[in-house]
């Protein structure tokens, strides 16, 4: 308990203030008697000293040293029996007590020293018992409400326990929830923290104090089940320093809010892992179109949205430390995406980080911003590079886009850490065309024979064997005249001259697109 509470207790001994009233917020948890000059050996924190004054009569130097020692050992103060051996305190001693915030009082000479000592101990013990009972009750209340009620109920109870309103902040300094007294200020508080406080909340590890609307708030990190996924509580600061008991209640509240937040973290992490598992199944070819569409609709993702794919990977060889580094890379990347609400999905594949970047944003600009952000993070100890696809497609084509991005990743270097896929063959180049345009081109050039496998195979073989009719007949095990007849029929259906070079080019491209 604090001295100001102790002195107000009905059982407290009668006293008269001498000096050090600024020390009334010091804790008192022990009582001791000074009767020897080597008193410093027996001083402990939160201890209040009582004395008859015999040791200090005509020895101001001893009293001066006691005051300095009490402050040094974080003790509470001193009570001197009045009119025993002392009845005045020199002004310079009083000033010294004021300077060190050491409370000095006259214990009025109307009861024996043993009675005074007993009274002080009774007050301290009774207070400790009451505080212990209250702590147990608070713990039961917080535990019950944590399992049966909402964040709103938890924060309202916490505000009642602390006699101070509070908010729960996520890792982006957004006030997700607030006790009733601060509900209307949540959005304004979020805006203030994110745009005006100049706090590096991504790397915040210790308590900070901010002033908002003329009120001070203590912002403290709270426990999170996931290492890099921070959360905070903002508690309106009291006008006076907190007592040990108040600090203990604050710790209980912070732990309870941290436990609730960690459960939410684990739920979110489960959802993230489920989504990652879904993407892995697509990569492995385990899901059909209908299954993919059904899952996407259930999680409110538009099946028609097109994405570019990017792959992030460390340039060093895989080892135990890289596994931990990969977790940090993934968490920081997720934090960056959520910080600015980028329309980007993320999952891991073969210890690479795969990003699905919606086509409403420029992938190069996004990836450059991401790269610049990650390079500034001291937790990332290893160099990494990024490759991304040249085209965008729906999630159904995830595997094809990944291959592009992964091939681009292989072309990265220290001087070019971000690379876009560059096709190495005509077939790869054709795959970059929008699917709708590709289908239209194939239909225009091959439409009349697409449903005739015999004619389509004949034309493909004819193109593959460089228009050599004899070689085509041999490859297809038919007579040469049969091939000529089929080619004439194809020319009529397509309304083209198969001897024209420009026609052959269009047909060749259409066949490549078809395959």
């Amino acid at each position: 308990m604090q001295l100001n509470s102790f002195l107000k207790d009905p059982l407290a001994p009668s006293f008269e203030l001498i000096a050090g009233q600024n020390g009334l917020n010091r804790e008192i948890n022990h009582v001791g008697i000074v009767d020897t000059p080597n008193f410093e050996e027996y001083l402990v924190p939160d201890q209040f000293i009582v004395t008859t004054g015999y040791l200090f009569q005509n020895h101001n130097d001893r009293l001066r040293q006691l005051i300095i020692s009490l402050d040094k050992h974080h003790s509470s103060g001193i009570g001197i029996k009045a009119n025993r051996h002392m009845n005045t305190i020199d002004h310079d001693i009083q000033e010294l007590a004021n300077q060190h915030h050491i409370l000095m009082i006259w214990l009025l000479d109307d009861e024996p020293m043993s009675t005074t000592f007993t009274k002080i101990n009774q007050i301290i013990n009774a207070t400790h018992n009451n505080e212990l009972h209250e702590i147990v009750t608070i713990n039961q209340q917080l535990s019950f409400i944590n399992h049966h009620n909402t964040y709103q109920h938890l924060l309202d109870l916490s505000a009642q326990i602390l006699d101070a309103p509070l908010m729960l902040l996520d890792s982006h300094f957004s006030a997700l929830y607030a006790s009733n007294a601060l509900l209307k200020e949540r959005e304004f508080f979020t805006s203030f923290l994110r745009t005006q406080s100049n706090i590096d909340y991504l790397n915040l590890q210790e308590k900070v104090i901010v002033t908002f609307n003329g009120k001070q708030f203590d912002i403290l990190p709270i426990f999170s089940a996931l290492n890099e996924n921070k959360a905070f509580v903002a508690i309106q600061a009291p006008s006076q320093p907190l007592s040990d008991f108040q600090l203990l209640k604050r710790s209980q509240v912070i732990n309870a809010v941290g436990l609730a937040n960690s459960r939410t973290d684990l739920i979110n992490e489960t959802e993230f892992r489920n989504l990652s598992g879904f993407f892995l199944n697509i990569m492995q070819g385990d899901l059909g179109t209908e299954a993919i569409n059904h899952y996407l609709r259930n999680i409110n993702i538009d099946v028609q949205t097109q994405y570019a794919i990017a792959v992030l990977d460390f340039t060093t060889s895989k080892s135990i430390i890289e596994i931990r580094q990969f977790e940090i890379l993934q968490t920081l990347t997720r934090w960056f995406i959520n910080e600015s609400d980028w329309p980007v999905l993320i999952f891991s594949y073969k210890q690479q980080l795969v990003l699905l970047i919606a086509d409403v944003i420029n992938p190069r600009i996004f990836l450059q911003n991401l790269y610049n952000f990650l390079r500034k993070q001291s937790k990332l100890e290893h160099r990494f590079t990024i490759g991304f696809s040249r085209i965008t497609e729906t999630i159904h084509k995830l595997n094809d886009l990944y291959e592009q991005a992964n091939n681009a990743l292989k072309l990265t270097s220290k001087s070019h850490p971000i690379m876009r896929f560059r096709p190495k063959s005509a077939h790869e180049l054709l795959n970059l065309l929008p699917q709708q345009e590709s289908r239209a081109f194939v239909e225009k050039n091959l439409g009349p024979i697409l449903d005739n496998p015999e004619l389509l195979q004949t034309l493909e073989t004819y193109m593959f064997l460089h228009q050599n009719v004899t070689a085509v007949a041999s490859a297809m095990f038919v007579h040469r005249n049969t091939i000529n007849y089929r080619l004439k029929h194809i020319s009529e259906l397509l309304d083209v001259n198969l001897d024209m070079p420009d026609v052959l080019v269009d047909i060749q491209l259409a066949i490549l697109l078809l395959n």
Side-chain angles (χ1 to χ4, degrees), residues 181-398:
L182 294 175
L183 277 176
K184 295 181 179 179
E185 300 185 54
R186 243 182 350 145
E187 293 184 9
F188 300 107
F189 193 68
T190 295
S191 177
F192 163 75
L193 289 178
R194 288 175 56 85
T195 62
Q196 300 179 48
S197 68
N198 296 319
I199 297 173
D200 179 14
Y201 41 90
L202 174 60
N203 298 300
L204 183 60
Q205 302 285 346
E206 300 177 348
K207 182 182 83 171
V208 294
I209 300 173
V210 300
T211 301
F212 172 73
N213 282 352
K215 304 169 187 175
Q216 280 197 334
F217 286 84
D218 296 336
I219 299 181
L220 307 100
I222 63 175
F223 169 77
S224 174
L226 307 174
N227 289 330
E228 273 73 40
N229 192 20
K230 298 177 181 297
F232 311 88
V233 288
I235 306 174
Q236 188 170 319
S239 57
Q240 298 293 329
L242 295 173
S243 67
D244 287 350
F245 180 56
Q246 290 170 321
L247 288 172
L248 181 58
K249 290 197 293 184
R250 176 180 276 197
S251 295
Q252 277 193 296
V253 164
I254 290 173
N255 289 338
V257 175
L259 177 62
N261 183 68
S262 289
R263 283 206 303 269
T264 301
D265 278 348
L266 292 175
I267 292 172
N268 293 337
E269 187 66 16
T270 299
E271 292 177 353
F272 171 75
R273 292 183 183 278
N274 288 340
L275 184 60
S276 296
F278 166 69
F279 289 136
L280 291 178
N281 285 332
I282 295 177
M283 295 287 289
Q284 294 165 3
D286 296 336
L287 296 177
T289 300
E290 284 304 314
I292 293 173
N293 291 345
H294 179 72
Y295 187 91
L296 291 176
R297 292 190 187 102
N298 281 343
I299 58 176
N300 297 317
I301 293 179
D302 186 353
V303 298
Q304 299 301 323
T305 299
Q306 296 198 337
Y307 299 87
I309 300 299
V311 178
L312 282 71
D313 199 3
F314 289 113
T315 57
T316 51
S317 59
K318 301 295 184 292
S319 65
I320 293 177
I321 191 170
E322 267 71 50
I323 293 174
R324 174 60 184 147
Q325 283 286 293
F326 180 77
E327 292 174 352
I328 295 174
L329 176 67
Q330 177 172 276
T331 303
L332 288 172
T333 302
R334 288 170 64 184
W335 185 92
F336 175 82
I337 292 169
N338 294 329
E339 172 72 358
S340 299
D341 200 24
W342 292 98
V344 176
L345 304 173
I346 177 175
F347 70 101
S348 60
Y349 181 65
K350 297 180 179 179
Q351 212 172 337
Q352 293 177 326
L353 207 56
V354 183
L355 308 183
L356 289 75
I357 307 166
D359 61 359
V360 295
I361 59 175
N362 185 314
R364 183 175 291 279
I365 293 176
F366 165 76
L367 292 171
Q368 188 62 60
N369 289 337
L370 173 62
Y371 181 84
N372 294 340
F373 164 77
L374 292 174
R375 289 292 292 162
K376 295 177 182 176
Q377 306 309 312
S378 59
K379 293 180 180 180
L380 280 178
E381 302 169 358
H382 300 279
R383 193 164 61 85
F384 63 92
T385 55
I386 305 174
F388 68 103
S389 65
R390 178 167 290 274
I391 64 171
T392 61
E393 264 291 0
T394 63
I395 288 176
H396 310 79
K397 298 292 185 179
L398 178 59

Side-chain angles (χ1 to χ4, degrees), residues 53-63 84-86:
Y54 176 79
L55 185 64
F56 306 106
Q57 63 178 345
N58 304 319
H59 288 286
N60 277 348
D61 56 326
R62 290 177 181 173
L63 188 53
R84 286 285 183 91
H85 304 285
M86 301 179 67

